[in-house]
Structures are given as C-alpha cells and as structure tokens.
Amino acid sequence: MWRVGAFEPTFESEMAARYDIPRLPEGARRAEFLAEHGPDVRVLVTSGSPGVDAGTISALPNLEAIVNNGAGVDLIDLATAKRRGIGVSNTPDVLSDSVADTALGLILMTLRRFGAADRFVRAGRWAREGPFPYARDVSGLQVGILGLGRIGSAIATRLLGFDCAIAYHNRHRIEGSPYRYAESPLQLAESVDVLVVATTGDRGARHLVDRAVLEALGSEGYLINIARGSVVDQQALVELLVGGALGGAGLDVFADEPDVPAELLDLDNVVLFPHIGSATGRTRRAMALLAITNLERYLETGELVTPVVRPRRR
C-alpha cells in the first residue's frame, strides 16, 4: 500500500493515526522507483493532485485498487483503471450538503453583490459616496443546473426555497424528475438567468461550458461553478466578463489552480473562492473516514464501499 502526493490535512491526520504508508517518489525518482518496486504495489491511496495517470498505472503491473479521498476522480485515469480491472473509489454523498451550501453562497454573493458591498463599507465609500448600487434579486429566478447528480440535486432543493424555477441538463434525462429538462448545455443556458455547473470534471466534460454557452447566458446572465475549472472555457469566460458580455460569475474552481486569471481580481461582479466547496471540519472528516472505510474494506474483502470503478475479483 502506497500513497500518491500530499494528503488533505484531515485525511493526513486520520490516516497517520492508523497507518504508516510510504509515499511514491516524485519526479525523475519515481520512474527509477517504479522500475524496481512497481510489481510490489497493490493499492494506491490519493487525495487530489497530482492524481494517478496512465503512466503510473502502467508501471504498476499488480495494482488492484486506487482509493481516493474526494468526490472528484478527474485526476485518475479511469479508462486505464477500468481496462485493467483496477478498482477506484471516491467519497460521494458526505460532501453534497457542504458543496451545495457553497453554491448557494456564491449565488447570493454574486447576484446580491454582498462581497462588493462589504468592501464598499470597509473602504469608507458609504460615507463618501452614499448608497451602494442596486443588485439583482435571487428569488424567482430561472436557474439551470448542469449536472443534476447528488450535489446538483442538493443545490436545486435549496433554490426551491427561493421560489426559483429549476431546469437541468444531464447526459440522460432523469425519469420522474420534477425539473424541466434541456437537451443541451446551450439550450439550458439560453433559457435561464443563472447557470450552475455541478457536473463531474472528467475528460468528457472538458469545456462543456464553451464560449457559445457563455454567450447564450448574455449580459444579464450569471455563471456559478463549483465543479471543476476544466468544465468551463476559462479564456472565453474571462473575455466575456471583462467585456461586459456576461452579467457576473461566482467561481470556486479554476482551470489551473491555485492560479486565478489576473483580469478577474478587480471585477466586482465576480466572486472568487479558493476551492472551498467541501471545506468544513465535519465534512472533511466524514470524507476522510469514508476513504479509510473503502481502504479497509478492500484490504479485508477485495471490495470497495463506494466504487467508481469496481475491482476485478482476484
């Protein structure tokens, strides 16, 4: 059993209390290590960056399972894992509420301009300039959710309390869903005031929100992204925001984290979070414990509790 990269702090603490797991070397030393010890590795444990790519998997001929501390598995080559019969687990459900709360916070801060209002007061501008400019109501808006999975559904439930009309797009229509279905991301964007990106960040979702989708939102529309930065064409997003062709954006994720486009830093219609969607003590501990449960279950039975890819029976 080996670890890949640095662990999220809570996961590090919970793992250290139970195991002493060596870490795969980084850089050039990794290739040398894998050439000598690769056949000995049966299980990898990871927690985000740098992930487990096809090259690493290929260098581990006896790899059986990859345990990931996190819901997103976009940094793991799932196609290679599936082809090899290597199990991959993640930590779904336990973070849905925290991420949905973050999405709601971004919607409120972006449309009501709460962050800008706070800065207005702190800079002494209220006394000098008078009342803060009007913002946009959230209640009663048309909201589109791109990816109506666990997190997307939790976001929709919260927005119902604001009397918002919900529409969604998934790869497939959800039978029995009370929400309006849009046939494409473009069709969804054309029909809503706010587009919330809650889809997975796998390779198939790259730039799912492209320039055409962003332009369809228009100068009165807003983008909220709590999924992955890669899902949105970030260059197009920046250009449209700077040019006033998009009403605003609330972003918890970016294409090249932790780098954030400098053009966004001074825009008052943009809210920027440092990827904190699930960053509460309770949620991070629940994620860590679920990842550990996956690890222990696999070591005991050869099965995973929350598999993204089921392991081949050995």
Side-chain angles (χ1 to χ4, degrees):
M1 181 167 54
W2 291 76
R3 58 188 284 178
V4 180
F7 284 173
E8 184 275 331
T10 302
F11 188 46
E12 178 75 61
S13 175
E14 295 291 343
M15 285 291 290
R18 296 164 172 81
Y19 301 100
D20 181 15
I21 304 180
R23 181 171 172 174
L24 287 185
E26 304 289 344
R29 292 182 57 242
R30 176 172 293 186
E32 180 182 344
F33 171 86
L34 293 177
E36 182 177 355
H37 300 287
D40 301 329
V41 179
R42 293 178 51 234
V43 178
L44 287 180
V45 182
T46 184
S47 182
S49 182
V52 184
D53 59 15
T56 300
I57 294 174
S58 298
L60 302 172
N62 296 315
L63 183 63
E64 300 172 11
I66 301 169
V67 174
N68 181 56
N69 177 51
V73 289
D74 49 302
L75 296 178
I76 299 173
D77 194 310
L78 296 181
T80 300
K82 189 172 183 178
R83 189 166 55 249
R84 287 264 308 273
I86 297 166
V88 180
S89 67
N90 67 342
T91 58
D93 293 325
V94 293
L95 51 69
S96 296
D97 284 334
S98 291
V99 178
D101 290 348
T102 301
L104 186 60
L106 279 171
I107 292 170
L108 288 166
M109 286 190 67
T110 305
L111 274 72
R112 290 297 310 274
R113 301 183 65 197
F114 288 152
D118 176 76
R119 293 190 295 274
F120 186 82
V121 173
R122 292 175 187 273
R125 295 175 60 191
W126 189 13
R128 294 196 308 268
E129 302 175 24
F132 186 73
Y134 293 156
R136 181 81 176 269
D137 281 317
V138 173
S139 297
L141 290 182
Q142 300 277 338
V143 180
I145 298 177
L146 187 58
L148 194 69
R150 298 177 178 92
I151 293 172
S153 296
I155 294 169
T157 299
R158 284 156 173 74
L159 288 169
L160 291 177
F162 288 82
D163 294 324
C164 291
I166 308 297
Y168 75 98
H169 172 75
N170 277 11
R171 291 187 177 98
H172 304 288
R173 186 191 301 264
I174 300 173
E175 294 299 327
S177 173
Y179 310 124
R180 176 174 61 84
Y181 180 69
E183 296 290 341
S184 68
L186 179 60
Q187 186 184 91
L188 183 63
E190 288 173 339
S191 65
V192 298
D193 303 298
V194 180
L195 179 63
V196 181
V197 183
T199 186
T200 59
D202 58 31
R203 289 178 175 83
R206 177 174 171 76
H207 287 190
L208 192 62
V209 179
D210 58 15
R211 181 180 292 272
V213 172
L214 294 169
E215 288 178 342
L217 281 171
S219 61
E220 298 296 319
Y222 295 82
L223 179 81
I224 305 295
N225 190 3
I226 47 80
R228 286 292 185 270
S230 60
V231 179
V232 177
D233 183 338
Q234 184 167 280
Q235 181 176 347
L237 175 64
V238 170
E239 291 174 1
L240 292 172
L241 285 168
V242 171
L246 189 63
L251 308 172
D252 186 43
V253 290
F254 304 88
D256 187 25
E257 296 177 1
D259 294 331
V260 176
E263 299 94 326
L264 300 182
L265 299 179
D266 293 326
L267 296 181
D268 269 349
N269 62 336
V270 179
V271 176
L272 308 170
F273 285 174
H275 202 149
I276 57 170
S278 64
T280 72
R282 179 183 64 83
T283 296
R284 289 292 171 86
R285 185 166 190 270
M287 291 168 62
L289 294 179
L290 180 53
I292 290 170
T293 299
N294 270 290
L295 174 61
E296 293 175 342
R297 179 71 61 84
Y298 185 78
L299 295 176
E300 292 170 2
T301 69
E303 299 292 338
L304 295 167
V305 179
T306 54
V308 177
V309 177
R310 293 189 179 279
R312 182 185 300 150
R313 291 192 176 276
R314 308 289 172 175

